Amino acid sequence: MSVTAVLPIVATVLYVGGRVRDRIQRRNREKRTREEAKYYHSDVSLTESSEDASDDETYRGRLPPLLPTAPQVPLYTPLQYPPRNYGPSNQGFGQETYNYEGWYNMAHPRSRRYSEDVNPRQRYAPSSYDGPSHSNGSTTRDVLKAIQPRDSSSTISRSDHLQDVPLYPYSQLQGVHTIRLIELHPAKNQNDDLHCSFYQADLVDNNRIPLSYEALSYAWGKPDLPNVMWCDDTPSFRRGSRSPSERRDLWHLRITDSLYAALRAYRSTTKEIVFWVDAICINQADSREKMHQVKQMKRIYQEATRVQVWLGDEGQGGGQTLQWLQELGQWRQQFYPFTTMKMGRDVHQTMAEAMQPSLPTLQHFLTRSWFRRRWVIQEVTTSRAAILSCGPYHCDWDDFAEAIKFIYDVDSRITLFRGTVLGVLQGLRLMDLMKSCPELTQGFGLLDSMNLFHAADTARAQDRILALLSFAENAESYVDFGQDYYTQSPEAFYTKFARNALERTQTLDILHLAGTFRPLDSASWVPDWRSSPRYKPFLNIRKYSAGIGGPQDSLTPPTPIIFSSGTNRLVIEGFIFDTIADCSDSISKMPSFDDICSMIPQYRAVARYVVDDDEDARTKLATTLIADQAHSERFPWLPTPRETEERSSQARLKQMLEIGFVQLCRTAASSGVISPALTSPTLPSHSPGADAPRTNEYAQRYAALVSVTMSGRCLFRTVSGHIGIGPEDLRNGDRIVVFVGARTPFVIRPGRGREGFEVVGDCYVHGIMEGEALGRDEWDQFVIA
């Protein structure tokens, strides 16, 4: 057999072998992620810890070399951006405000993917990355200098006759599923101008024009357009043998510094590269086209071969930080698989101390604009593969995500970060879970994403919704794509969105968020997505069915959700359950253990829990302060576990929480906050730390769950003696109402000088959360203004 006959067989075997290997690697990573999701099922771990595990059995390998000392920058450097075009808000990740002001864009698609036949180890090796060439002996500093965007004066000076070259005339997109792509021409010298060719392709029918492209994900940066990009409409498959210099029609486009730097960094020296770039592939002057492309965003990302994430230049250790994260992620997968993660407290402390010199550099890196943008969420989660680039350094998303999970795991035990950076870590973890294990987020919807990703910011108020539409099962239920929402005020757009969510889905889910994101000047049932969340809503808590019916109740279908004719007044059926008679003060945001202990006397007074031997009163108060463990479920949209598992888990957690509550009261007593008369009930003999309540494990865990649940809320008692928790701005005389079809009761109050009621927020009322208050034959109608 000749060599020429053998070569195809060898190539086929290598290709198939590589595909099999990659599939096995992906399957193993998905398995680890699923196991991790089970382990992190709750926001506050209430299961038995394994801190007594042997370090020799669980800790293997050594951390990658530490990052160099960070540049001399404060840990929480305020970022200077001009004010946005809407009202004041606190939209930073966590407790601090980091506002991003991008070029007022419409859509920000960024996509993904590696060919599955590429060796992951070679994805960003110099030999396989067809980007800035180092073959001419230039140093990394030379390359970085070469790809820096020029200022407008230097750019214009290279084009003596720019005034004679017209602006690129966008042609109308032909077809329902058509997108516009650019073919980026190669350049031997990185200082050469950018040249590209536009052409249209169809996302569904790609028989005529092959649909193979990469998508660029980047932060738009400042709205200035100082750089010039030359373009035409003759890509290589139309140009044939003619060189780009032989084209007759030549136009120009002005682009931002960040896009200019990114395209020069990704430009090849030998071949054309096809990109989808939102800023130039969408005609930003055509509002109808922008909405048309927003509707296709999810499909655009899914069809891209991969997403190239441009984090910016290497400045202030960014490139080395990305390389370190890559090595940390690879180390975690090799030496520290999740199935053996049983690190003791001393191991976490050791790792935290080892990482301490790297923290300022890492923190500064994670405050880059890309990590705070809302558009990037769908750009990554819907992609096949993603590559992060910082200057000449590159990192696969899988390695990056593993490193982030490791850092977050250490931080959850030994505090390393707070505020903005901690919020970034939490968002990146959730993004990776949605990307790598979509089955775990199958029930995840648009309103869930609006709630969980509330801190991710956009340049325009309308984009706070439009950037997350890919998470809607039916986006048309929420947004009419034929309208130009950018010509409307944010208030008008938010009102239309909320009305569609109520009328077209016939659910009251958005009312939970109306109380969380309190409206400023609009109707009380319309969330203001620009405002900071006041508390964590009871959205999609499956164990709640206050207005749906209990096991023995059968409800006739409720009256459809309607609006008063010609008005924005919502009409819902329900009944007033009770009236609030007393309520506690609100607790500080993210309260500490001592903050919670200081509130115990007031909680006991409101609940009238005065006799410590009253087991029923103790159980009611302990359960109410954590809303029956509602927020212990990190993924409430997932299917309910099997009944036997649920019963076993609930029984175990109930015992732990009761012990934790008693220990919390003892801690308050030992601190002199309340009378040290709490000598009963007797704690179980196996309760750890009975003589040291402040360090008691159950007390710490219970307090952590109270912190999540009660932040922004207060405890109340009704006229009939029921207790519950609701928004912090409750007043005596507010009504507790049960709406037909709602999972939780709501707090309402008479409108100010107008007909109807205002929604204050959702609430938990002990004893009626499973439909116990239902069974009425007649319902009242409530007008919500």
Side-chain angles (χ1 to χ4, degrees):
M1 184 179 295
S2 64
V3 175
T4 56
V6 173
L7 285 177
I9 299 176
V10 174
T12 302
V13 172
L14 293 175
Y15 173 78
V16 173
R19 291 291 296 271
V20 171
R21 179 204 58 215
D22 290 343
R23 287 180 181 272
I24 293 175
Q25 291 176 346
R26 283 200 308 274
R27 194 171 301 166
N28 291 339
R29 183 172 185 272
E30 291 173 359
K31 180 179 179 181
R32 288 198 306 272
T33 307
R34 283 192 294 269
E35 292 172 350
E36 178 175 358
K38 295 177 182 178
Y39 180 83
Y40 285 116
H41 184 68
S42 68
D43 283 320
V44 182
S45 176
L46 298 174
T47 57
E48 297 289 349
S49 67
S50 56
E51 294 184 351
D52 57 345
S54 170
D55 296 346
D56 294 337
E57 296 178 357
T58 58
Y59 178 65
R60 302 179 309 207
R62 308 182 70 178
L63 276 170
L66 296 178
L67 285 169
T69 303
Q72 296 301 317
V73 292
L75 291 184
Y76 298 97
T77 306
L79 303 183
Q80 301 298 326
Y81 291 110
R84 291 173 291 179
N85 65 337
Y86 48 81
S89 69
N90 177 24
Q91 296 298 346
F93 284 91
Q95 301 299 309
E96 299 186 20
T97 302
Y98 285 83
N99 293 333
Y100 165 70
E101 175 71 7
W103 187 28
Y104 286 170
N105 59 303
M106 168 49 192
H108 275 209
R110 336 296 185 211
S111 284
R112 53 278 220 150
R113 311 172 200 182
Y114 276 115
S115 301
E116 294 181 346
D117 57 337
V118 177
N119 187 333
R121 288 286 189 178
Q122 297 177 349
R123 287 172 178 168
Y124 22 78
S127 59
S128 62
Y129 175 67
D130 196 12
S133 175
H134 295 246
S135 59
N136 58 1
S138 60
T139 64
T140 300
R141 179 174 299 180
D142 295 332
V143 175
L144 288 175
K145 183 178 179 180
I147 66 174
Q148 292 300 314
R150 294 163 292 176
D151 57 41
S152 58
S153 60
S154 62
T155 302
I156 301 300
S157 64
R158 291 179 58 88
S159 308
D160 298 332
H161 304 287
L162 180 63
Q163 65 276 11
D164 299 329
V165 181
L167 192 68
Y168 178 72
Y170 283 94
S171 59
Q172 186 175 356
L173 292 176
Q174 305 296 320
V176 178
H177 303 288
T178 304
I179 62 174
R180 192 179 287 109
L181 299 173
I182 66 166
E183 186 181 71
L184 186 62
H185 299 311
K188 296 293 184 181
N189 189 336
Q190 287 298 327
N191 289 323
D192 290 347
D193 291 336
L194 287 174
H195 294 266
C196 75
S197 296
F198 281 95
Y199 68 95
Q200 297 185 21
D202 196 291
L203 290 170
V204 177
D205 181 12
N206 56 4
N207 292 326
R208 291 188 304 105
I209 300 177
L211 190 68
S212 178
Y213 61 94
E214 299 177 4
L216 182 61
S217 176
Y218 68 106
W220 282 46
K222 298 179 180 180
D224 303 329
L225 305 174
N227 303 285
V228 173
M229 182 177 190
W230 305 104
C231 49
D232 60 59
D233 283 331
T234 54
S236 58
F237 61 86
R238 292 176 183 166
R239 190 169 63 242
S241 60
R242 291 188 299 128
S243 66
S245 61
E246 295 176 8
R247 58 186 178 272
R248 296 182 179 179
D249 299 323
L250 185 65
W251 299 277
H252 81 275
L253 281 175
R254 291 185 176 274
I255 58 177
T256 62
D257 282 342
S258 58
L259 178 55
Y260 189 74
L263 292 177
R264 296 184 73 191
Y266 291 119
R267 179 171 56 179
S268 170
T269 59
T270 58
K271 62 181 181 181
E272 289 83 2
I273 301 178
V274 179
F275 272 111
W276 190 91
V277 185
D278 56 349
I280 56 179
C281 290
I282 298 176
N283 184 1
Q284 301 296 322
D286 188 341
S287 299
R288 294 185 60 184
E289 180 177 311
K290 288 193 291 186
M291 291 304 301
H292 173 268
Q293 294 291 279
V294 167
K295 185 177 181 179
Q296 300 189 97
M297 286 294 181
K298 184 176 181 179
R299 186 67 179 267
I300 291 173
Y301 303 150
Q302 289 174 337
E303 294 297 332
T305 55
R306 62 181 175 183
V307 59
Q308 294 283 7
V309 177
W310 175 250
L311 301 177
D313 58 44
E314 189 193 358
Q316 298 192 341
Q320 294 183 21
T321 303
L322 184 63
Q323 186 179 39
W324 180 77
L325 289 170
Q326 174 191 346
E327 295 174 359
L328 180 62
Q330 293 173 348
W331 168 83
R332 184 183 191 268
Q333 296 181 73
Q334 182 178 1
F335 295 106
Y336 201 40
F338 186 84
T339 53
T340 62
M341 284 182 67
K342 297 180 180 179
M343 297 190 342
R345 184 173 299 171
D346 56 336
V347 177
H348 282 103
Q349 184 65 48
T350 300
M351 291 188 169
E353 293 174 356
M355 294 173 59
Q356 198 68 34
S358 304
L359 294 185
T361 304
L362 180 60
Q363 181 159 265
H364 189 72
F365 175 78
L366 292 175
T367 57
R368 290 185 174 228
S369 298
W370 186 89
F371 294 107
R372 304 190 305 278
R373 293 185 61 251
R374 182 168 293 215
W375 285 101
V376 305
I377 298 170
Q378 67 173 350
E379 296 165 7
V380 170
T381 56
T382 59
S383 66
R384 297 180 188 175
I387 302 296
L388 292 85
S389 301
C390 187
Y393 294 88
H394 317 284
C395 176
D396 181 76
W397 171 266
D398 292 349
D399 295 334
F400 176 79
E402 291 293 331
I404 292 297
K405 287 189 290 187
F406 175 80
I407 294 172
Y408 185 82
D409 181 66
V410 175
D411 180 86
S412 64
R413 293 163 173 80
I414 307 296
T415 301
L416 300 174
F417 303 103
R418 60 181 174 85
T420 299
V421 177
L422 180 59
V424 169
L425 291 174
Q426 293 170 341
L428 290 172
R429 286 189 69 254
L430 181 57
M431 286 167 58
D432 182 65
L433 179 67
M434 297 169 66
K435 174 178 171 55
S436 58
C437 287
E439 69 275 11
L440 292 179
T441 56
Q442 193 170 12
F444 188 88
L446 175 59
L447 297 183
D448 296 300
S449 66
M450 296 291 293
N451 177 41
L452 292 177
F453 293 114
H454 67 86
D457 210 355
T458 60
R460 303 190 70 175
Q462 294 87 338
D463 290 341
R464 299 191 68 80
I465 293 174
L466 298 176
L468 299 176
L469 280 179
S470 62
F471 298 111
E473 292 185 3
N474 184 9
E476 286 81 357
S477 298
Y478 299 94
V479 173
D480 298 315
F481 288 98
Q483 298 187 22
D484 179 11
Y485 292 111
Y486 290 95
T487 60
Q488 300 180 8
S489 67
E491 291 76 14
F493 178 42
Y494 290 167
T495 300
K496 180 61 176 176
F497 173 78
R499 182 162 182 160
N500 288 345
L502 289 163
E503 284 185 314
R504 298 181 183 180
T505 66
Q506 286 296 300
T507 65
L508 297 174
D509 290 345
I510 201 167
L511 288 188
H512 295 279
L513 301 173
T516 302
F517 301 91
R518 173 56 61 86
L520 299 177
D521 301 318
S522 56
S524 64
W525 49 269
V526 179
D528 186 347
W529 304 108
R530 301 165 296 184
S531 61
S532 298
R534 301 191 299 152
Y535 50 77
K536 193 171 183 179
F538 298 130
L539 179 66
N540 287 334
I541 307 298
R542 294 182 178 273
K543 66 175 68 177
Y544 294 162
S545 55
I548 299 176
Q552 299 177 352
D553 292 300
S554 59
L555 288 176
T556 57
T559 302
I561 299 170
I562 60 175
F563 288 85
S564 297
S565 177
T567 69
N568 277 329
R569 292 177 178 175
L570 176 65
V571 181
I572 320 176
E573 286 195 343
F575 64 91
I576 294 178
F577 171 74
D578 213 334
T579 303
I580 294 177
D582 191 17
C583 57
S584 70
D585 295 334
S586 61
I587 200 168
S588 61
K589 297 291 184 181
M590 302 305 295
S592 65
F593 185 87
D594 290 336
D595 293 334
I596 295 171
C597 288
S598 67
M599 291 295 298
I600 291 295
Q602 196 174 149
Y603 291 152
R604 289 166 60 98
V606 171
R608 295 184 176 176
Y609 171 42
V610 294
V611 180
D612 293 323
D613 286 330
D614 188 345
E615 184 177 355
D616 181 61
R618 184 177 66 250
T619 301
K620 285 171 56 178
L621 180 56
T623 304
T624 301
L625 289 178
I626 58 172
D628 194 17
Q629 307 165 45
H631 292 322
S632 66
E633 298 179 0
R634 172 158 297 185
F635 311 121
W637 54 84
L638 293 179
T640 305
R642 289 180 297 181
E643 185 176 359
T644 55
E645 297 177 358
E646 180 69 14
R647 287 180 178 178
S648 175
S649 174
Q650 289 295 321
R652 183 177 67 255
L653 295 179
K654 182 178 180 180
Q655 180 185 26
M656 296 177 68
L657 293 174
E658 287 180 349
I659 295 172
F661 174 73
V662 172
Q663 289 287 30
L664 203 65
C665 293
R666 289 189 171 184
T667 303
S670 64
S671 303
V673 177
I674 61 174
S675 173
L678 185 59
T679 57
S680 60
T682 304
L683 289 173
S685 58
H686 66 273
S687 175
D691 297 329
R694 183 175 294 278
T695 60
N696 180 269
E697 180 182 350
Y698 292 163
Q700 290 286 343
R701 294 178 178 179
Y702 179 79
L705 196 49
V706 172
S707 173
V708 173
T709 306
M710 295 300 295
S711 179
R713 294 186 182 267
C714 66
L715 183 75
F716 65 80
R717 187 185 72 255
T718 67
V719 172
S720 61
H722 287 79
I723 63 172
I725 60 174
E728 60 185 0
D729 57 342
L730 290 181
R731 305 173 189 168
N732 293 345
D734 285 346
R735 321 288 173 78
I736 306 295
V737 62
V738 177
F739 293 131
V740 178
R743 290 193 174 275
T744 72
F746 284 85
V747 179
I748 62 174
R749 66 170 59 115
R752 293 168 292 182
R754 52 185 175 180
E755 177 187 358
F757 294 87
E758 295 178 356
V759 174
V760 180
D762 58 10
C763 65
Y764 170 92
V765 181
H766 188 75
I768 69 168
M769 300 305 291
E770 296 183 5
E772 296 90 340
L774 298 177
R776 299 173 177 241
D777 295 331
E778 296 183 0
W779 306 86
D780 300 323
Q781 282 194 340
F782 294 87
V783 177
I784 308 299

